[in-house]
Amino acid sequence: MSHARNRDGDHHHPTLLFRSFRHRVAGPLLPVLILLVIMLVGLFGDAGMIWLPLLAAGPALAATTNGPRGVLCVGLLAGAVGATLGARAGAPGREVAAVLASLVAVTLAGALASALRGRRERVLADVRSVAEAAQHALLRPVPATVGPFEVAVRYSAAAAEARIGGDLYALVPTPYGVRMIVGDVRGKGLPAVGTAALVLGVFREAAYDEPDLLAVVDRIERSLARNLGTDDFVTAVVAGYPRPGQLEVVNCGHAPPLLVGASLAVTAVEPTQPAPPLGLRALTDQTPSLQVLPFADGDQLLLYTDGVIEARDRDREFYPLVEGLARHLCDEPARTVGAVHDELLAHVGGRLHDDAALLLIRKPTTAPVPVPLPVVPGELLGDQAV
């Protein structure tokens, strides 16, 4: 999955090591280096008091990289440098006092700003840890194999610091076969996350209880009708594998899944009749229909959200998902989805403007079991047979 990280590899990657060194060492030392440069220029440049006001840059910059104690230390160093340069230049006591007073003011302000920054960073770290926990509770990691399927998932939230968004997915084994859902909540932010949590909670419960896939969809619809506003809705595809060789699909206003058969041709599974998104059924007389598709060994099904097919490049061209999937098809869903996801990010220039989810299942080809031929006694004995 895209949000899964290799924790051991992260600490040993050269780029990450350089960034860690720059943040922990180069950042705190930079204010000291600036003070040293100003001191050298003042000592050997014979410029008098002209450079002394620049000493305030030291504690001001330290406030962005150091803690309050570090800011105070840089401020004391700046004051010592200022007093030394002022005495060497023979500056009047009032001018030196004015410079030192400004250094004290900047240092105290920088220490306060550093303390506030540290507090905000701690709060942000707590929020990120909560988001990480919410991610695992809401979008649970999907194993590489679920029931008879090989599975791969990639999810990217549009918000740069977000772990979760308005897109949702789940894939669970049930007494009625493997069932899955991929959906897209209207809107963004915390309300969309709350709606996604509601849909996934109802789906996971109903998938175990209801033998009919349409009944699972009805349970989600009734729950959303009670809890959503009049303008809110969720587009979704719910699918199930009730028996070998047969796939059931219910499309509620969502983008059509892509089916890959034995010929490796990619086909969009358009709904046989249009159905409204979840939460809007009361406004129309249309109801979802159940499509039954053949799904043999080697077949694959890709479920995705609008953030994939509506992603645009600089020329405002949409990402061609059908062509992209056909280019990267292979027998390993993780490689296929990873390649499509990387190409999607390259298409938009590295940053998505909407949440995007990809879920690919593949029914692996069952290797034939060799059946031993019956042994005829005459064949076993060869020429010795009578």
Side-chain angles (χ1 to χ4, degrees):
M1 298 171 61
S2 64
H3 44 251
R5 298 182 62 188
N6 185 340
R7 298 184 184 275
D8 295 333
D10 283 354
H11 293 298
H12 294 89
H13 194 281
T15 302
L16 294 176
L17 287 174
F18 173 74
R19 290 178 180 174
S20 178
F21 171 80
R22 183 179 62 184
H23 176 73
R24 296 186 179 184
V25 179
L29 288 180
L30 184 58
V32 177
L33 294 177
I34 291 177
L35 295 181
L36 291 178
V37 170
I38 295 174
M39 183 178 68
L40 293 176
V41 171
L43 290 176
F44 301 103
D46 195 22
M49 295 282 294
I50 191 173
W51 294 102
L52 292 188
L54 294 180
L55 292 172
L61 182 60
T64 65
T65 58
N66 293 263
R69 186 176 301 176
V71 176
L72 293 176
C73 291
V74 173
L76 289 175
L77 179 60
V81 172
T84 301
L85 294 180
R88 184 178 183 275
R94 291 183 178 179
E95 293 185 12
V96 175
V99 171
L100 295 179
S102 64
L103 287 177
V104 171
V106 172
T107 300
L108 293 177
L112 178 60
S114 176
L116 295 176
R117 176 181 55 81
R119 182 178 179 181
R120 287 194 298 269
E121 289 178 350
R122 289 190 294 271
V123 171
L124 180 59
D126 292 340
V127 171
R128 285 179 176 174
S129 65
V130 172
E132 191 79 16
Q135 177 196 28
H136 288 287
L138 180 58
L139 300 178
R140 299 173 184 172
V142 177
T145 302
V146 179
F149 298 123
E150 297 172 343
V151 185
V153 176
R154 280 298 182 100
Y155 178 84
S156 296
E161 299 297 334
R163 296 290 192 270
I164 53 179
D167 287 2
L168 58 96
Y169 64 83
L171 189 144
V172 294
T174 74
Y176 312 104
V178 175
R179 287 175 168 174
M180 66 206 78
I181 183 174
V182 169
D184 188 355
V185 179
R186 178 187 178 274
K188 298 181 182 297
L190 290 178
V193 174
T195 302
L198 174 64
V199 172
L200 289 176
V202 176
F203 168 77
R204 288 175 178 135
E205 180 181 358
Y208 280 95
D209 295 341
E210 302 291 349
D212 186 1
L213 193 65
L214 282 174
V216 175
V217 177
D218 289 341
R219 287 268 293 270
I220 301 174
E221 174 67 33
R222 291 196 298 271
S223 179
L224 291 180
R226 292 192 302 268
N227 293 281
L228 289 189
T230 56
D231 296 332
D232 297 327
F233 58 85
V234 180
T235 66
V237 170
V238 183
Y241 189 74
R243 57 191 63 86
Q246 192 175 93
L247 191 70
E248 297 178 343
V249 177
V250 179
N251 193 327
C252 300
H254 198 74
L258 300 180
L259 180 65
V260 182
S263 64
L264 299 183
V266 181
T267 305
V269 183
E270 298 288 350
T272 54
Q273 66 183 45
L278 296 168
L280 297 182
R281 189 184 301 181
L283 303 180
T284 69
D285 56 356
Q286 298 172 332
T287 57
S289 62
L290 183 71
Q291 295 176 262
V292 180
L293 310 173
F295 201 74
D297 290 351
D299 289 353
Q300 303 185 54
L301 184 75
L302 178 67
L303 305 178
Y304 55 95
T305 58
D306 291 345
V308 178
I309 56 176
E310 294 179 357
R312 297 173 182 260
D313 60 10
R314 294 181 178 179
D315 298 327
R316 308 298 295 169
E317 295 291 335
F318 292 110
Y319 174 68
L321 178 59
V322 174
E323 292 81 355
L325 178 61
R327 274 193 299 271
H328 300 294
L329 273 175
C330 67
D331 292 340
E332 299 179 22
R335 287 180 54 192
T336 301
V337 171
V340 172
H341 183 265
D342 292 344
E343 187 176 81
L344 173 66
L345 292 180
H347 181 81
V348 299
R351 174 72 182 277
L352 291 169
H353 297 285
D354 193 7
D355 301 333
L358 295 160
L359 187 152
L360 179 65
I361 63 170
R362 178 180 181 270
K363 182 68 167 59
T365 303
T366 304
V369 179
V371 179
L373 297 175
V375 178
V376 180
E379 294 178 354
L380 180 64
L381 297 175
D383 295 337
Q384 299 179 7
V386 178

PDB file of all heavy atoms in Angstrom, residues 21 26 32 63 73 84 112 144 164 167 173 192 215 218 235 237 286 305 334 336 356 361 383:
ATOM      1  N   PHE A  21      20.729  15.266   8.747  1.00  0.00           N
ATOM      2  CA  PHE A  21      21.924  16.004   9.145  1.00  0.00           C
ATOM      3  C   PHE A  21      21.720  17.503   8.987  1.00  0.00           C
ATOM      4  O   PHE A  21      22.074  18.293   9.870  1.00  0.00           O
ATOM      5  CB  PHE A  21      23.105  15.546   8.292  1.00  0.00           C
ATOM      6  CG  PHE A  21      24.334  16.403   8.472  1.00  0.00           C
ATOM      7  CD1 PHE A  21      25.169  16.219   9.553  1.00  0.00           C
ATOM      8  CD2 PHE A  21      24.641  17.405   7.551  1.00  0.00           C
ATOM      9  CE1 PHE A  21      26.291  17.005   9.725  1.00  0.00           C
ATOM     10  CE2 PHE A  21      25.762  18.195   7.708  1.00  0.00           C
ATOM     11  CZ  PHE A  21      26.590  17.990   8.801  1.00  0.00           C
ATOM     12  N   ALA A  26      23.246  21.256  10.638  1.00  0.00           N
ATOM     13  CA  ALA A  26      23.491  22.472   9.864  1.00  0.00           C
ATOM     14  C   ALA A  26      22.563  23.598  10.283  1.00  0.00           C
ATOM     15  O   ALA A  26      22.981  24.759  10.388  1.00  0.00           O
ATOM     16  CB  ALA A  26      23.333  22.174   8.376  1.00  0.00           C
ATOM     17  N   VAL A  32      25.320  30.612  14.369  1.00  0.00           N
ATOM     18  CA  VAL A  32      26.670  30.816  14.890  1.00  0.00           C
ATOM     19  C   VAL A  32      27.630  31.175  13.765  1.00  0.00           C
ATOM     20  O   VAL A  32      28.495  32.058  13.907  1.00  0.00           O
ATOM     21  CB  VAL A  32      27.144  29.556  15.635  1.00  0.00           C
ATOM     22  CG1 VAL A  32      28.580  29.737  16.127  1.00  0.00           C
ATOM     23  CG2 VAL A  32      26.209  29.241  16.801  1.00  0.00           C
ATOM     24  N   ALA A  63      15.815  31.341  16.192  1.00  0.00           N
ATOM     25  CA  ALA A  63      14.439  31.065  16.616  1.00  0.00           C
ATOM     26  C   ALA A  63      13.734  30.092  15.693  1.00  0.00           C
ATOM     27  O   ALA A  63      12.764  29.435  16.095  1.00  0.00           O
ATOM     28  CB  ALA A  63      13.648  32.376  16.698  1.00  0.00           C
ATOM     29  N   CYS A  73      21.558  31.335  23.966  1.00  0.00           N
ATOM     30  CA  CYS A  73      23.010  31.186  23.810  1.00  0.00           C
ATOM     31  C   CYS A  73      23.520  31.981  22.610  1.00  0.00           C
ATOM     32  O   CYS A  73      24.564  32.654  22.687  1.00  0.00           O
ATOM     33  CB  CYS A  73      23.362  29.710  23.656  1.00  0.00           C
ATOM     34  SG  CYS A  73      23.110  28.731  25.154  1.00  0.00           S
ATOM     35  N   THR A  84      32.592  43.452  21.860  1.00  0.00           N
ATOM     36  CA  THR A  84      34.001  43.400  21.465  1.00  0.00           C
ATOM     37  C   THR A  84      34.275  44.313  20.282  1.00  0.00           C
ATOM     38  O   THR A  84      35.246  45.095  20.268  1.00  0.00           O
ATOM     39  CB  THR A  84      34.396  41.954  21.117  1.00  0.00           C
ATOM     40  OG1 THR A  84      34.172  41.121  22.264  1.00  0.00           O
ATOM     41  CG2 THR A  84      35.858  41.876  20.719  1.00  0.00           C
ATOM     42  N   LEU A 112      10.879  33.460  22.775  1.00  0.00           N
ATOM     43  CA  LEU A 112       9.444  33.243  22.899  1.00  0.00           C
ATOM     44  C   LEU A 112       8.880  32.572  21.646  1.00  0.00           C
ATOM     45  O   LEU A 112       8.082  31.626  21.733  1.00  0.00           O
ATOM     46  CB  LEU A 112       8.741  34.579  23.152  1.00  0.00           C
ATOM     47  CG  LEU A 112       7.209  34.527  23.249  1.00  0.00           C
ATOM     48  CD1 LEU A 112       6.775  33.616  24.392  1.00  0.00           C
ATOM     49  CD2 LEU A 112       6.643  35.933  23.417  1.00  0.00           C
ATOM     50  N   ALA A 144      -1.743  -9.150   1.031  1.00  0.00           N
ATOM     51  CA  ALA A 144      -1.478  -9.443  -0.383  1.00  0.00           C
ATOM     52  C   ALA A 144      -2.389 -10.528  -0.922  1.00  0.00           C
ATOM     53  O   ALA A 144      -2.616 -10.609  -2.141  1.00  0.00           O
ATOM     54  CB  ALA A 144      -0.013  -9.841  -0.571  1.00  0.00           C
ATOM     55  N   ILE A 164      -5.573  10.278   5.465  1.00  0.00           N
ATOM     56  CA  ILE A 164      -6.848   9.789   4.986  1.00  0.00           C
ATOM     57  C   ILE A 164      -7.635  10.941   4.408  1.00  0.00           C
ATOM     58  O   ILE A 164      -7.345  12.108   4.656  1.00  0.00           O
ATOM     59  CB  ILE A 164      -7.658   9.117   6.117  1.00  0.00           C
ATOM     60  CG1 ILE A 164      -7.768  10.059   7.319  1.00  0.00           C
ATOM     61  CG2 ILE A 164      -7.022   7.806   6.518  1.00  0.00           C
ATOM     62  CD1 ILE A 164      -8.557   9.486   8.462  1.00  0.00           C
ATOM     63  N   ASP A 167     -11.985   9.346   0.097  1.00  0.00           N
ATOM     64  CA  ASP A 167     -12.085   8.078  -0.614  1.00  0.00           C
ATOM     65  C   ASP A 167     -12.033   6.929   0.382  1.00  0.00           C
ATOM     66  O   ASP A 167     -11.418   7.035   1.452  1.00  0.00           O
ATOM     67  CB  ASP A 167     -10.956   7.937  -1.629  1.00  0.00           C
ATOM     68  CG  ASP A 167     -11.164   8.834  -2.842  1.00  0.00           C
ATOM     69  OD1 ASP A 167     -12.167   9.584  -2.857  1.00  0.00           O
ATOM     70  OD2 ASP A 167     -10.332   8.805  -3.752  1.00  0.00           O
ATOM     71  N   PRO A 173     -13.113 -11.061   3.693  1.00  0.00           N
ATOM     72  CA  PRO A 173     -13.681 -12.396   3.473  1.00  0.00           C
ATOM     73  C   PRO A 173     -14.901 -12.590   4.364  1.00  0.00           C
ATOM     74  O   PRO A 173     -14.904 -12.202   5.540  1.00  0.00           O
ATOM     75  CB  PRO A 173     -12.534 -13.326   3.871  1.00  0.00           C
ATOM     76  CG  PRO A 173     -11.716 -12.530   4.842  1.00  0.00           C
ATOM     77  CD  PRO A 173     -11.865 -11.082   4.463  1.00  0.00           C
ATOM     78  N   ALA A 192     -16.018  14.580   5.371  1.00  0.00           N
ATOM     79  CA  ALA A 192     -15.889  13.480   4.420  1.00  0.00           C
ATOM     80  C   ALA A 192     -15.283  12.245   5.077  1.00  0.00           C
ATOM     81  O   ALA A 192     -15.700  11.111   4.814  1.00  0.00           O
ATOM     82  CB  ALA A 192     -15.031  13.914   3.229  1.00  0.00           C
ATOM     83  N   ALA A 215     -28.653  -6.536  -0.570  1.00  0.00           N
ATOM     84  CA  ALA A 215     -29.056  -6.226   0.808  1.00  0.00           C
ATOM     85  C   ALA A 215     -27.953  -5.478   1.544  1.00  0.00           C
ATOM     86  O   ALA A 215     -28.233  -4.619   2.393  1.00  0.00           O
ATOM     87  CB  ALA A 215     -29.416  -7.516   1.541  1.00  0.00           C
ATOM     88  N   ASP A 218     -28.343  -1.983   0.440  1.00  0.00           N
ATOM     89  CA  ASP A 218     -29.523  -1.377   1.075  1.00  0.00           C
ATOM     90  C   ASP A 218     -29.222  -0.956   2.506  1.00  0.00           C
ATOM     91  O   ASP A 218     -29.697   0.092   2.959  1.00  0.00           O
ATOM     92  CB  ASP A 218     -30.688  -2.367   1.051  1.00  0.00           C
ATOM     93  CG  ASP A 218     -31.248  -2.575  -0.350  1.00  0.00           C
ATOM     94  OD1 ASP A 218     -30.982  -1.716  -1.213  1.00  0.00           O
ATOM     95  OD2 ASP A 218     -31.927  -3.595  -0.569  1.00  0.00           O
ATOM     96  N   THR A 235     -20.604   7.985  -3.906  1.00  0.00           N
ATOM     97  CA  THR A 235     -20.586   7.069  -5.041  1.00  0.00           C
ATOM     98  C   THR A 235     -19.747   5.852  -4.653  1.00  0.00           C
ATOM     99  O   THR A 235     -18.739   5.980  -3.962  1.00  0.00           O
ATOM    100  CB  THR A 235     -19.990   7.727  -6.294  1.00  0.00           C
ATOM    101  OG1 THR A 235     -18.601   8.012  -6.074  1.00  0.00           O
ATOM    102  CG2 THR A 235     -20.717   9.033  -6.617  1.00  0.00           C
ATOM    103  N   VAL A 237     -18.803   1.392  -5.668  1.00  0.00           N
ATOM    104  CA  VAL A 237     -18.967   0.090  -6.316  1.00  0.00           C
ATOM    105  C   VAL A 237     -18.779  -0.970  -5.248  1.00  0.00           C
ATOM    106  O   VAL A 237     -17.771  -0.973  -4.537  1.00  0.00           O
ATOM    107  CB  VAL A 237     -17.958  -0.119  -7.462  1.00  0.00           C
ATOM    108  CG1 VAL A 237     -17.999  -1.566  -7.948  1.00  0.00           C
ATOM    109  CG2 VAL A 237     -18.259   0.817  -8.619  1.00  0.00           C
ATOM    110  N   GLN A 286     -34.998   5.173  -9.151  1.00  0.00           N
ATOM    111  CA  GLN A 286     -34.051   4.179  -9.636  1.00  0.00           C
ATOM    112  C   GLN A 286     -33.431   3.437  -8.463  1.00  0.00           C
ATOM    113  O   GLN A 286     -33.151   4.022  -7.419  1.00  0.00           O
ATOM    114  CB  GLN A 286     -32.957   4.838 -10.468  1.00  0.00           C
ATOM    115  CG  GLN A 286     -33.467   5.544 -11.718  1.00  0.00           C
ATOM    116  CD  GLN A 286     -32.368   6.348 -12.399  1.00  0.00           C
ATOM    117  OE1 GLN A 286     -31.434   6.800 -11.755  1.00  0.00           O
ATOM    118  NE2 GLN A 286     -32.492   6.520 -13.709  1.00  0.00           N
ATOM    119  N   THR A 305     -11.231   5.393  -7.863  1.00  0.00           N
ATOM    120  CA  THR A 305     -12.071   6.552  -7.577  1.00  0.00           C
ATOM    121  C   THR A 305     -11.853   7.644  -8.620  1.00  0.00           C
ATOM    122  O   THR A 305     -10.935   7.568  -9.439  1.00  0.00           O
ATOM    123  CB  THR A 305     -11.782   7.108  -6.169  1.00  0.00           C
ATOM    124  OG1 THR A 305     -10.391   7.446  -6.080  1.00  0.00           O
ATOM    125  CG2 THR A 305     -12.107   6.077  -5.099  1.00  0.00           C
ATOM    126  N   ALA A 334       0.589  -6.043  -7.206  1.00  0.00           N
ATOM    127  CA  ALA A 334       1.332  -4.966  -6.546  1.00  0.00           C
ATOM    128  C   ALA A 334       2.181  -4.196  -7.551  1.00  0.00           C
ATOM    129  O   ALA A 334       2.257  -2.960  -7.497  1.00  0.00           O
ATOM    130  CB  ALA A 334       2.207  -5.536  -5.435  1.00  0.00           C
ATOM    131  N   THR A 336       1.636  -4.006 -10.826  1.00  0.00           N
ATOM    132  CA  THR A 336       0.736  -3.308 -11.750  1.00  0.00           C
ATOM    133  C   THR A 336       0.216  -2.014 -11.143  1.00  0.00           C
ATOM    134  O   THR A 336       0.303  -0.939 -11.753  1.00  0.00           O
ATOM    135  CB  THR A 336      -0.443  -4.222 -12.126  1.00  0.00           C
ATOM    136  OG1 THR A 336       0.050  -5.414 -12.742  1.00  0.00           O
ATOM    137  CG2 THR A 336      -1.385  -3.514 -13.089  1.00  0.00           C
ATOM    138  N   ALA A 356      -7.210   9.795  -4.347  1.00  0.00           N
ATOM    139  CA  ALA A 356      -7.185   8.769  -5.380  1.00  0.00           C
ATOM    140  C   ALA A 356      -6.947   7.412  -4.740  1.00  0.00           C
ATOM    141  O   ALA A 356      -6.053   7.260  -3.909  1.00  0.00           O
ATOM    142  CB  ALA A 356      -6.112   9.059  -6.426  1.00  0.00           C
ATOM    143  N   ILE A 361      -7.722  -6.693  -7.859  1.00  0.00           N
ATOM    144  CA  ILE A 361      -7.756  -8.092  -7.451  1.00  0.00           C
ATOM    145  C   ILE A 361      -7.451  -8.958  -8.671  1.00  0.00           C
ATOM    146  O   ILE A 361      -7.774  -8.605  -9.810  1.00  0.00           O
ATOM    147  CB  ILE A 361      -9.115  -8.495  -6.842  1.00  0.00           C
ATOM    148  CG1 ILE A 361     -10.235  -8.358  -7.886  1.00  0.00           C
ATOM    149  CG2 ILE A 361      -9.420  -7.666  -5.614  1.00  0.00           C
ATOM    150  CD1 ILE A 361     -11.557  -8.959  -7.417  1.00  0.00           C
ATOM    151  N   ASP A 383       9.650 -56.666 -21.385  1.00  0.00           N
ATOM    152  CA  ASP A 383       9.859 -57.882 -22.158  1.00  0.00           C
ATOM    153  C   ASP A 383       9.662 -59.119 -21.294  1.00  0.00           C
ATOM    154  O   ASP A 383       9.464 -60.233 -21.840  1.00  0.00           O
ATOM    155  CB  ASP A 383      11.240 -57.912 -22.753  1.00  0.00           C
ATOM    156  CG  ASP A 383      11.425 -56.785 -23.769  1.00  0.00           C
ATOM    157  OD1 ASP A 383      10.398 -56.298 -24.295  1.00  0.00           O
ATOM    158  OD2 ASP A 383      12.605 -56.371 -23.993  1.00  0.00           O
TER     159      ASP A 383
END
